[in-house]
Amino acid sequence: IPYGLTAIDVETSVDDPRRATLETMQIADDLYVKVLTEHAVKYSFPIPATETSVFHNGYFDLCVLNRYRYKPKNIEDTMLAAHVLGEPLALKPLVRKLLGYNVVEYDEVAGDPTADKLAYAAQDAAITRDLWLHLEPRLKASPAYPAYEIDRDLVPTLVNCSLEGGFGVDRSLVGAKMDKLAEEFNRCLDAWKKTVGEVNYQSPKQVLGALRARSIPLTSTASEALEPYYKTDFTVYLLLSLRRTGKLAQYLAELEA
């Protein structure tokens, strides 16, 4: 277990981070989960002595914690990781699927005066840390990792924009990046056609047939199934590169709109 890794989670009064009142803050390290009340956070803020803080939906948590002068050195985000890897975004379904944990849902403790709400709060921080340790090797080996890095690095900026009144987009920079992505996409598409012919890379059925014809023993074209072959098979490399550049281009186009 890497030293210097802390998972952070918050429980709040409402779902809008700009209006939410902090109820508790949870800090999970490799030994304990600390659950702190809003009063404790406000008057004796315990900045974690770690290099990296992991969140699940860091945008929400950091919007709330910004009022308490909390600014982590480095962040990771399991929800953003799940997004680029094509996994469920909600924390509980994700943990059930990837870790096999039997986790408690909020509905099971809400409105129940006998429920251990502190244990529920601690649970989310603990499973977020475990989830990151599970996802990190797969994420860094994935061709989607550059997309994740872009999303992750934008989180503090988006937090500041939300709290300080908005943001603008430099269309010239976005346009230049889109031009480079278009060039990379077209190079990959040309190489794809030369390698497999007129196979539609967006058709799972056609792609699966083409890959099986190359003796790749696949039953699915999901990114998770393809990633082990990314560095050893040129066709898989091209397919995942087409998906990555296409997704980034779509994201930038939405920014420019």
Side-chain angles (χ1 to χ4, degrees), residues 176-239:
K177 183 64 175 177
M178 288 185 68
D179 289 342
K180 291 183 178 179
L181 281 173
E183 291 177 7
E184 182 180 351
F185 179 86
N186 289 331
R187 283 197 303 270
C188 290
L189 187 59
D190 288 343
W192 172 261
K193 290 179 178 179
K194 290 177 182 178
T195 304
V196 298
E198 293 301 321
V199 173
N200 182 354
Y201 82 94
Q202 293 180 308
S203 168
K205 183 178 180 180
Q206 292 184 35
V207 167
L208 188 59
L211 295 177
R212 284 178 171 173
R214 298 176 63 84
S215 301
I216 303 176
L218 292 169
T219 58
S220 166
T221 61
S223 295
E224 182 178 358
L226 294 170
E227 284 163 9
Y229 303 96
Y230 173 69
K231 294 182 179 180
T232 58
D233 186 274
F234 185 57
T235 309
V236 173
Y237 165 81
L238 291 173
L239 175 61

Side-chain angles (χ1 to χ4, degrees), residues 101-159:
Y101 287 2
N102 182 23
V103 293
V104 178
E105 294 281 0
Y106 177 75
D107 291 344
E108 297 177 49
V109 299
D112 182 354
T114 66
D116 190 343
K117 293 183 174 62
L118 291 182
Y120 168 79
Q123 166 195 263
D124 281 6
I127 62 178
T128 296
R129 190 176 191 276
D130 289 352
L131 182 60
W132 174 251
L133 294 176
H134 176 85
L135 285 173
E136 183 182 20
R138 175 181 161 196
L139 179 65
K140 290 186 174 179
S142 168
Y145 186 58
Y148 167 79
E149 290 184 299
I150 291 173
D151 287 347
R152 177 200 62 198
D153 293 347
L154 278 173
V155 169
T157 300
L158 293 174
V159 169

